[in-house]
Amino acid sequence: MRRLCLSLVVLALALIAGTAPAFGQAAQAYSFRERAVIELKNVQTEIVSLAQAMPAEKYTWRPMPGVRSVSEVYLHMAAANFGLTALAGAPPEPGFTFQGYEKSTTDKTKVIEQLNASFDYARNGIEKMSDADLLKPLKFQDQSTVGDMLVHIVAHAHEHLGQSIAYARMNGVVPPWTAAAEQRRQAARPPQK
């Protein structure tokens, strides 16, 4: 039985080793940093388009007392991008402080500017990190390395994108990318007779 198991393991390894050159390419390294930058760019595109679609008078709207308003959610995302990326090792954004940031403005134009600036800051900071930087120890909540913090930054942005989509729909605003997809589907349908 041992010989059979050993033979199967050797055969499996030989097959794996034998097929690698058949594909004609060397193994490519995976860059988590590059993926994080792409994800942040994607979420930035969606959240900014949603923020632009929300009427300015809805920036103070909140679904109930005691929870963040529309502008507070957007600024919470921006604060996380500035603050958490700095905690991960990027040079701090000059003049940024967490204290009072979420309530600093309800002006639609200023909020969108802060969203864009914060995502640009996070992406640039992450792009400048090395692979070795991702393994550096860090202590923040349950993150123990810089790499853990990058996962948290991306997940946090998507979490609040989801919240913002719910806020928008509760106010009759369809996310722009959903509206565009529906228009493409409608245009592709043959005329109804």
Side-chain angles (χ1 to χ4, degrees):
M1 187 62 157
R2 268 190 184 165
R3 284 186 192 168
L4 178 60
C5 287
L6 182 59
S7 297
L8 289 174
V9 169
V10 169
L11 178 62
L13 290 173
L15 288 172
I16 292 169
T19 58
F23 291 109
Q25 293 183 352
Q28 297 288 324
Y30 178 79
S31 174
F32 177 76
R33 284 177 301 101
E34 287 177 19
R35 189 70 234 169
V37 167
I38 290 167
E39 287 298 320
L40 287 174
K41 182 63 179 166
N42 292 341
V43 75
Q44 177 183 5
T45 299
E46 289 184 343
I47 196 66
V48 169
S49 70
L50 190 61
Q52 291 167 336
M54 273 302 264
E57 64 272 10
K58 294 295 185 178
Y59 269 56
T60 57
W61 180 89
R62 62 186 79 234
M64 62 189 302
V67 297
R68 290 182 178 108
S69 68
V70 170
S71 65
E72 289 168 351
V73 171
Y74 295 152
L75 291 174
H76 175 76
M77 292 174 74
N81 291 338
F82 286 132
L84 299 178
T85 307
L87 284 174
E93 176 71 7
F96 171 77
T97 58
F98 276 113
Q99 188 68 31
Y101 187 81
E102 288 181 16
K103 297 181 186 299
S104 63
T105 186
T106 59
D107 180 87
K108 179 177 177 172
T109 302
K110 290 178 183 175
V111 170
I112 292 171
E113 286 172 3
Q114 289 301 302
L115 276 172
N116 278 318
S118 75
F119 277 103
D120 293 346
Y121 167 81
R123 284 194 330 276
N124 290 332
I126 292 168
E127 284 175 340
K128 292 176 183 166
M129 293 177 186
S130 69
D131 289 338
D133 288 336
L134 301 185
L135 300 174
K136 288 181 180 175
L138 178 135
K139 190 160 178 88
F140 178 78
Q141 296 175 349
D142 64 346
Q143 288 82 43
S144 59
T145 66
V146 170
D148 292 345
M149 181 62 86
L150 299 190
V151 170
H152 180 66
I153 292 166
V154 171
H156 182 267
H158 281 280
E159 172 188 354
H160 290 293
L161 171 62
Q163 178 184 16
S164 297
I165 291 168
Y167 277 28
R169 288 192 178 274
M170 291 167 73
N171 282 283
V173 175
V174 176
W177 59 93
T178 302
E182 181 58 29
Q183 287 174 346
R184 285 191 300 275
R185 276 193 299 278
Q186 292 295 330
R189 290 184 183 167
Q192 300 294 320
K193 294 181 182 183

